[in-house]
Amino acid sequence: MDRETRVFAESYFRGLRGRPPGGVAPACVDFIAEPASFSYADFFRGYLLPNLPCVFSSAFTAGWGSRRRWVTAGGQPDFDHLLRTYGDVVVPVANCGVREYNSNPKEHMPLRDYISYWKEYIQGGHSSPRGCLYLKDWHLCRDSSAEGVFTLPVYFSSDWLNEYWDALGVDDYRFIYMGPAGTWSPFHADIFRSFSWSVNICGRKKWFFFPPGQEEALRDCYGGLPYDVTSPTLLDSRLYPMREHCSPPLEVTQEAGEMVFVPSGWHHQVHNLEDTISINHNWVNGCNLANMWHFLQQELCAVQQEVIEWRDTMPDWHHHCQVIMRSCSGINFEEFYHFLKVIAERRLHLLVKGTGPGEVEDGKGAELGPQQATFDVGRIAEVLASVVAHPDFQRVDTSMFSPQPEELLKQLEEVVATTASL
């Protein structure tokens, strides 16, 4: 990040005054054709800050090893290569033909068994008595070597979510999806209201995008969101009384090699039009950190409403709400503070201790400079101030936290004051 972009971003967030980013949805999704003429600053100003989707051409991923080795000359998945390289790896597989709440039930199997199913599915005219199975959320980077598979695009290099989990060494939010034509992902918004990016290694996808807030008009008369936005049941005005107030989705057909940027809080649904393999990352940074914090507050409120009748009789009711929240959402207020702390301390180390930009990495190997670190510190300070003031966070036992939240906030605010002229 250069200084001009940082100053522009800081001014942008001051102008929001705590409101979420995003205005009128575009009429279509922009297509970015040439890597040479599209800079990080272009992406940051045009799409990341205003929280708008875009599609990058296949030229941006032309050098990826997976596009050469995972795909046949005819553009189909190279099953032989995948079997030789990953055949014994156990992968998660969802059944697209079975609804489980607003998702699909999953099982685990060796990749070789899934590819055997996939071949049979194709030979059966894209049909199988076993159903329509979709390999989803395979943590290739965590479970196996992903060297040479892909190169993290610079546009997505400020990736706090994976930086945090890499520092802990226990998890990540980098996934492989693969499945035959007809597999799909139901209507949803990404975890923690993260950004995501998705690259088709081979095959084609159809995306349906709804900007933040539009999903409210898609709720049924019981308050639930739809499972499938292409279902004719949405035309039933008795079941979906607000449907007429929802604008048509933005539709995108993603070709092989192309890269889709999914903004924070945009609900979407995705269908594989052909046999498809994709690489997908979820990520959070200073641009959507406030969205993540807002989402976590909503999640806690939902939990509290579910168990409100036991508030006066259950010992440590507030603590139990945090436990339930973590079980349902994967994170609670305590872990969110630790997430902020890890990223904050890495940025402070760069700015205060004078660490060279090549010695602090964000995500998978992208170097951080002082302008990016300064922007990050400012965003963390603003959100942490809200966290510290939140009544439910004040009920969290922070006695063993080091540093104490108020102390960390003070450090951040001091650095913000001293780096404003950088």
Side-chain angles (χ1 to χ4, degrees), residues 40-356:
Y40 177 78
D42 292 332
F43 174 68
F44 193 94
R45 291 182 180 220
Y47 303 95
L48 201 58
L49 272 182
N51 201 41
L52 297 174
C54 64
V55 179
F56 297 78
S57 76
S58 60
F60 287 83
T61 63
W64 287 19
S66 53
R67 289 195 58 198
R68 296 190 305 273
R69 293 187 286 271
W70 291 14
V71 185
T72 67
Q76 299 299 309
D78 191 332
F79 292 136
D80 292 338
H81 173 80
L82 293 168
L83 284 170
R84 285 194 307 270
T85 311
Y86 308 109
D88 294 328
V89 177
V90 176
V91 295
V93 175
N95 190 336
C96 296
V98 178
R99 178 176 179 177
E100 191 173 80
Y101 301 101
N102 267 22
S103 188
N104 309 116
K106 281 186 179 178
E107 59 181 309
H108 288 78
M109 63 180 71
L111 180 63
R112 66 177 66 258
D113 290 353
Y114 180 72
I115 288 179
S116 176
Y117 155 82
W118 194 346
K119 290 178 177 178
E120 293 173 359
Y121 189 85
I122 294 171
Q123 292 167 358
H126 283 81
S127 179
S128 168
R130 296 176 61 186
C132 186
L133 304 184
Y134 192 9
L135 190 163
K136 299 176 69 173
D137 301 326
W138 172 21
H139 292 261
L140 174 65
C141 295
R142 185 190 68 187
D143 299 338
S144 308
S145 172
E147 185 176 355
V149 171
F150 70 96
T151 303
L152 181 67
V154 65
Y155 312 102
F156 315 135
S157 58
S158 179
D159 176 354
W160 301 4
L161 201 56
N162 288 299
E163 181 181 0
Y164 171 71
W165 285 110
D166 287 347
L168 270 58
V170 295
D171 206 353
D172 70 358
Y173 283 88
R174 308 178 183 100
F175 306 106
I176 307 296
Y177 282 46
M178 56 177 74
T183 49
W184 65 293
S185 293
F187 185 65
H188 68 285
D190 287 327
I191 188 169
F192 307 147
R193 296 302 179 260
S194 58
F195 298 127
S196 65
W197 60 263
S198 178
V199 173
N200 281 353
I201 303 306
C202 62
R204 303 167 71 235
K205 292 180 185 287
K206 181 66 171 288
W207 294 73
F208 300 90
F209 283 110
F210 293 84
Q214 284 287 302
E215 74 280 359
E216 294 303 320
L218 294 175
R219 292 190 182 275
D220 61 25
C221 56
Y222 307 104
L225 290 172
Y227 170 70
D228 177 4
V229 294
T230 68
S231 170
T233 60
L234 266 74
L235 300 176
D236 185 344
S237 60
R238 292 169 299 178
L239 185 57
Y240 292 94
M242 299 296 291
R243 176 67 180 85
E244 64 182 33
H245 300 292
C246 183
S247 300
L250 291 174
E251 297 187 18
V252 171
T253 300
Q254 179 189 15
E255 304 291 341
E258 292 181 351
M259 182 164 61
V260 170
F261 166 61
V262 182
S264 173
W266 281 62
H267 281 70
H268 51 282
Q269 185 168 308
V270 192
H271 295 255
N272 289 328
L273 304 178
E274 300 174 353
D275 297 336
T276 300
I277 301 175
S278 64
I279 297 178
N280 312 273
H281 284 202
N282 293 99
W283 49 298
V284 170
N285 62 26
C287 292
N288 65 337
L289 182 65
N291 290 5
M292 181 180 182
W293 169 230
H294 179 67
F295 168 73
L296 295 178
Q297 293 173 78
Q298 289 180 318
E299 289 293 283
L300 181 60
C301 285
V303 168
Q304 290 173 336
Q305 287 301 311
E306 285 294 320
V307 296
I308 191 69
E309 61 187 287
W310 294 288
R311 179 170 182 165
D312 296 328
T313 58
M314 180 187 292
D316 299 324
W317 181 83
H318 289 282
H319 170 72
H320 285 294
C321 287
Q322 293 283 343
V323 171
I324 296 169
M325 177 188 173
R326 192 181 191 286
S327 176
C328 295
S329 305
I331 191 172
N332 59 13
F333 282 16
E334 177 179 348
E335 186 158 17
F336 184 61
Y337 170 72
H338 287 295
F339 166 68
L340 296 177
K341 186 193 84 161
V342 167
I343 304 303
E345 289 181 338
R346 292 167 70 91
R347 302 304 183 268
L348 291 171
H349 193 268
L350 190 154
L351 292 170
V352 178
K353 304 298 182 182
T355 306

